Amino acid sequence: MWKLTLPSYCLTANRLACHTPFTAAQTTVSCAGQGRTFGHCRPSHIRSPFSSSAPTTGRAGSGTCSSQVAKVGRGGVAFASYAGQPLAAGFEGSSSPRICILGGGFGGLYTAVRLESLMWPHSRRPQITLIDQNEQFVFKPLLYELINGGATPEEVAPMFADLLAPMNSTSFVQGSVHSVHSADSTNGAHSSHSSGGTITLADGQRLQYDWLVLALGSSTSFFGIPGVKDLALPFNDFKDAMKVRRRVEEIEAQSAVEPAGVVVVGAGYAGVELASTVAERLGRRAAVQLVSAGGDILEGMPPGQVKAARSMLQDLHVTIVTNAMVSSISEDQQQPSSAQASTSYSPASPPAKQQVHIKLLGNIKNTIPADMVLWTAGNSPASHAARKLKLPFETNQKGALLTDRNLRVLKQQRVFALGDVAGSEIEAETANIPPTAQVAFQQADYVAWNLWSAINSRPLLPFKYQHLGDMMSLGRVNGAVTLPLPVSQQLASGLQSGPLSSLLGAAGISLQPDDTGKGLTLQGPLAGFVRRAAYLYRQPTDQHKLRVGRDWLQQAAEEAQQMLSGSRHN
């Protein structure tokens, strides 16, 4: 007897990862469905991780599988029917089930991509509708490349129509959600109602769904601080990034004697990445200050990343202001208003100045003059406006939708939520889950899996987050990547003080273990290359991946040629 344990999270391009451990006695049983052979596996029993009871007979598509394995999909994906586990309410309609996905960010788009990649029984292949208020998908980690010229707008924000064109079952609808009517909310959580509900868009269009996925993402939070919403530039989506880029170009074009003042509020990942990107591009034309409400930058982040970020910010002459709370932002009364500056601006005239009012420790007040204020101090779930959107779902104090362990919205049989809008009913389970694209990637796998399981009356799978590391940009070429690999403090100290220290530093490798004893950090150009390679791999479709990869290789070749010819200038 041998034991096969599938990994808790497998990174496979455009394939569902396998999360379920199981034990098999033999390796030969024929499982067929949809007119094709899924594999050969005839285990005498498959033991469930949830129950030790005997196996049952499952059905896969139009064929059968004489074991607990119900279906094997691409990339070794095993859908198992666990004895003793409650089955999800299946789909009983005669036509294909209708899945509506609200939000086309990482969670929404990647759920659609995963659903397309699964093998479905012929009568159960769903019709998927992706709804978003914008016509473009935004790969947010690459927004910084829009400012430093490392990527084009088409690479960072491709059109949904182009991404979904090769898909047979997915369509796109551009529109804003006005309200959602859920049959479960009307008839009770255990309703056997044949339809899931109705979505009403702002233009009056109505879409019926059998299953709903909420992936609305996040929106910038200004915390009600006077002047922030009107005078600061947020950095959360494609339109924000393009506004910042235009303002940076204006500063580059002006002929000022003194450097322009740039204030970045918020010293988390977004603030540090944006400060380094803007400082690198503007160089001596700007004096960049990074304002942190805490005692340091990147609080709570891996030590190796903090060290790499501090070193790069110092090299770029970025001033870090700590323990500073922004109390308000106002216009300099001696300068033209923002409205006047936007219409009468010319390269010879500087943009309107702002005054950033801050409170330091000891209630000390200070004012920082600025030509541009960039706001990265916080985001809130888009579902925080659930009352305005008339979403009939429960939310927590932060405005996130309450879900169970399977990412299904509480008291709803046919509604799932993921990404920034999802919050577990058990607060402790989501306390250590960061609001990052990495989480949305993984949750998309689970939601797609659970939709397949729910439609085919299979048990749902509880979400388990696996942290794969942290990456950030520190300019056009440089970056910092921390991998969660075990590194003892003794080993780190020995290598840093030994003869290999200079060699590791030259290679861009730093050993900075955190409180859990993990932390191998790559920094400099090596980390920048790893980051871009990882994001290339994570592009939503193979076609877009090839397009972006080709453009990046061409760009790298042109830059290398310019460097060799000595014609590249900073």
Side-chain angles (χ1 to χ4, degrees):
M1 175 176 174
W2 57 275
K3 182 176 181 180
L4 173 62
T5 302
L6 298 179
S8 59
Y9 190 79
C10 308
L11 287 175
T12 54
N14 292 325
R15 296 177 182 175
L16 187 62
C18 200
H19 313 262
T20 308
F22 62 89
T23 304
Q26 282 187 321
T27 61
T28 56
V29 161
S30 293
C31 303
Q34 289 184 264
R36 62 182 295 181
T37 299
F38 291 118
H40 297 284
C41 56
R42 195 187 59 193
S44 59
H45 71 281
I46 293 182
R47 192 174 302 278
S48 161
F50 309 104
S51 171
S52 58
S53 56
T56 59
T57 300
R59 183 172 296 273
S62 58
T64 61
C65 178
S66 181
S67 72
Q68 282 186 307
V69 175
K71 183 181 178 78
V72 176
R74 299 179 185 178
V77 180
F79 294 89
S81 176
Y82 303 123
Q85 281 295 100
L87 296 180
F91 179 72
E92 299 178 356
S94 57
S95 59
S96 298
R98 298 161 299 184
I99 299 176
C100 281
I101 302 175
L102 298 185
F106 285 112
L109 177 61
Y110 283 67
T111 296
V113 172
R114 297 297 186 269
L115 288 170
E116 279 275 356
S117 70
L118 300 180
M119 290 185 287
W120 295 81
H122 180 69
S123 62
R124 297 292 177 90
R125 174 166 285 278
Q127 294 299 314
I128 306 165
T129 302
L130 180 65
I131 303 171
D132 195 273
Q133 61 183 351
N134 300 307
E135 61 182 355
Q136 297 161 304
F137 164 72
V138 181
F139 202 101
K140 287 189 176 182
L142 292 178
L143 286 176
Y144 310 98
E145 269 73 0
L146 286 177
I147 298 174
N148 61 29
T152 66
E154 294 74 22
E155 294 165 359
V156 177
M159 305 293 285
F160 281 115
D162 294 335
L163 293 175
L164 301 179
M167 303 183 187
N168 298 321
S169 303
T170 304
S171 59
F172 173 68
V173 173
Q174 183 178 1
S176 299
V177 178
H178 174 265
S179 63
V180 175
H181 175 269
S182 170
D184 284 339
S185 299
T186 304
N187 302 313
H190 300 289
S191 169
S192 59
H193 200 275
S194 59
S195 176
T198 304
I199 299 167
T200 302
L201 301 182
D203 61 2
Q205 181 181 2
R206 292 188 176 184
L207 301 171
Q208 289 188 330
Y209 67 85
D210 298 303
W211 306 89
L212 177 64
V213 177
L214 298 167
L216 297 171
S218 64
S219 58
T220 302
S221 178
F222 300 107
F223 305 107
I225 300 175
V228 173
K229 186 175 182 179
D230 296 328
L231 299 176
L233 293 176
F235 196 81
N236 187 54
D237 57 27
F238 177 71
K239 293 179 181 178
D240 294 339
M242 294 304 290
K243 289 180 181 178
V244 172
R245 187 170 82 165
R246 286 192 294 269
R247 183 65 69 87
V248 168
E249 291 171 350
E250 290 176 351
I251 294 176
E252 283 182 322
Q254 73 185 48
S255 54
V257 178
E258 296 182 357
V262 177
V263 177
V264 181
V265 182
Y269 276 122
V272 169
E273 290 179 283
L274 188 56
S276 59
T277 300
V278 172
E280 181 185 58
R281 172 161 179 174
L282 292 178
R284 296 181 179 180
R285 288 185 290 268
V288 180
Q289 298 189 61
L290 179 61
V291 177
S292 173
D296 199 357
I297 62 172
L298 300 175
E299 290 192 323
M301 299 299 111
Q305 294 231 307
V306 177
K307 180 180 179 181
R310 273 194 162 276
S311 176
M312 181 56 63
L313 292 173
Q314 182 177 0
D315 291 343
L316 294 171
H317 306 290
V318 175
T319 301
I320 301 174
V321 182
T322 59
N323 298 307
M325 300 291 293
V326 175
S327 57
S328 66
I329 300 177
S330 63
E331 284 189 325
D332 190 335
Q333 299 300 321
Q334 299 179 356
Q335 295 288 328
S337 65
S338 295
Q340 294 172 332
S342 62
T343 57
S344 63
Y345 171 78
S346 67
S349 61
K353 284 185 175 292
Q354 291 92 40
Q355 300 286 338
V356 181
H357 306 282
I358 61 175
K359 289 183 179 180
L360 302 171
L361 291 178
N363 202 28
I364 300 174
K365 298 180 180 180
N366 195 9
T367 300
I368 306 175
D371 296 279
M372 177 170 63
V373 181
L374 303 175
W375 187 264
T376 67
N379 296 318
S380 61
S383 56
H384 189 66
R387 298 181 183 89
K388 296 180 181 179
L389 295 178
K390 299 180 181 179
L391 300 181
F393 312 120
E394 296 183 20
T395 61
N396 61 16
Q397 294 180 349
K398 297 179 180 179
L401 300 170
L402 290 175
T403 66
D404 61 18
R405 290 184 173 90
N406 306 316
L407 298 176
R408 185 164 54 182
V409 175
L410 292 188
K411 301 180 182 179
Q412 303 289 324
Q413 288 292 306
R414 296 170 176 262
V415 183
F416 292 85
L418 73 159
D420 295 331
V421 301
S424 173
E425 60 179 325
I426 303 175
E427 292 292 336
E429 293 186 355
T430 56
N432 297 320
I433 298 180
T436 61
Q438 181 182 163
V439 174
F441 287 143
Q442 296 186 27
Q443 288 182 334
D445 284 346
Y446 278 85
V447 169
W449 180 317
N450 285 340
L451 281 167
W452 187 97
S453 300
I455 291 172
N456 292 284
S457 298
R458 297 290 186 261
L460 306 186
L461 189 66
F463 172 65
K464 294 182 179 180
Y465 172 64
Q466 181 170 343
H467 187 62
L468 303 177
D470 300 279
M471 299 188 295
M472 66 175 171
S473 168
L474 293 175
R476 185 181 173 97
V477 176
N478 296 294
V481 176
T482 296
L483 304 176
L485 300 177
V487 177
S488 68
Q489 189 65 52
Q490 183 178 4
L491 175 63
S493 300
L495 289 176
Q496 290 173 356
S497 60
L500 293 178
S501 176
S502 58
L503 181 61
L504 292 174
I509 301 175
S510 173
L511 302 178
Q512 295 283 334
D514 57 17
D515 295 338
T516 64
K518 296 180 180 179
L520 172 64
T521 299
L522 309 178
Q523 57 189 23
L526 174 62
F529 172 79
V530 171
R531 171 182 171 271
R532 286 175 71 91
Y535 288 147
L536 176 62
Y537 171 78
R538 274 302 191 180
Q539 294 298 313
T541 65
D542 291 339
Q543 292 84 352
H544 191 62
K545 189 181 301 182
L546 290 173
R547 188 180 304 116
V548 172
R550 178 198 61 204
D551 292 345
W552 285 1
L553 285 175
Q554 182 178 356
Q555 181 187 64
E558 292 174 354
E559 291 183 354
Q561 184 177 6
Q562 291 176 358
M563 291 179 65
L564 291 175
S565 62
S567 61
R568 182 177 181 182
H569 301 285
N570 294 327

